[in-house]
């Protein structure tokens, strides 16, 4: 949910950058930048919520889905983590042309 007075599109763009796989203009790394990830490191919903809450204009956050693409949920939301194997590294390119490299869907509500 977006705070009143903030534009949903602006908040969404900032969230996409925060969860991206690139270095921002100010030098900060996106959450899924390769330099921030390690083999076998699971993705915790609490880390996702904290990163989203740190964005100006975000009122509240809910993770409603957290699973591997094309696979049914396997208790990840309940456990609060998307586990990865010891030889896997999380990837979130968010490229519609290559969804198997990670996809992020935001349902933005509130704001203007």
């Amino acid at each position: 949910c977006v705070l009143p007075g903030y534009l949903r599109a602006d908040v969404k763009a900032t969230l996409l950058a925060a969860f991206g796989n690139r270095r921002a203009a100010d030098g900060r790394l996106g959450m899924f930048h390769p330099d921030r990830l390690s083999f076998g490191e699971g993705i915790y919903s609490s880390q996702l919520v904290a990163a989203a809450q740190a964005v100006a204009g975000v009122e509240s956050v809910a993770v409603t889905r957290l699973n591997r693409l094309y696979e049914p949920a396997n208790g990840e939301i309940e456990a609060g983590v998307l586990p990865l194997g010891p030889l896997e590294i999380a990837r979130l390119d968010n490229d519609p042309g290559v969804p198997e490299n990670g996809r992020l869907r935001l349902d933005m509500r509130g704001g203007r």
Side-chain angles (χ1 to χ4, degrees), residues 11-69:
V11 174
K12 184 175 186 175
T14 305
L15 284 168
L16 289 172
F19 289 112
N21 61 358
R22 294 185 170 82
R23 183 179 303 271
D26 65 3
R28 285 186 285 171
L29 300 179
M31 186 173 197
F32 287 88
H33 188 282
D35 290 347
R36 294 189 63 183
L37 303 170
S38 298
F39 283 100
E41 185 179 333
I43 303 301
Y44 291 85
S45 58
S46 60
Q47 292 173 324
L48 299 173
V49 169
Q53 286 287 170
V55 170
V58 172
E59 180 175 26
S60 62
V61 178
V63 177
T64 58
R65 188 170 174 189
L66 181 66
N67 59 289
R68 293 173 180 269
L69 190 63

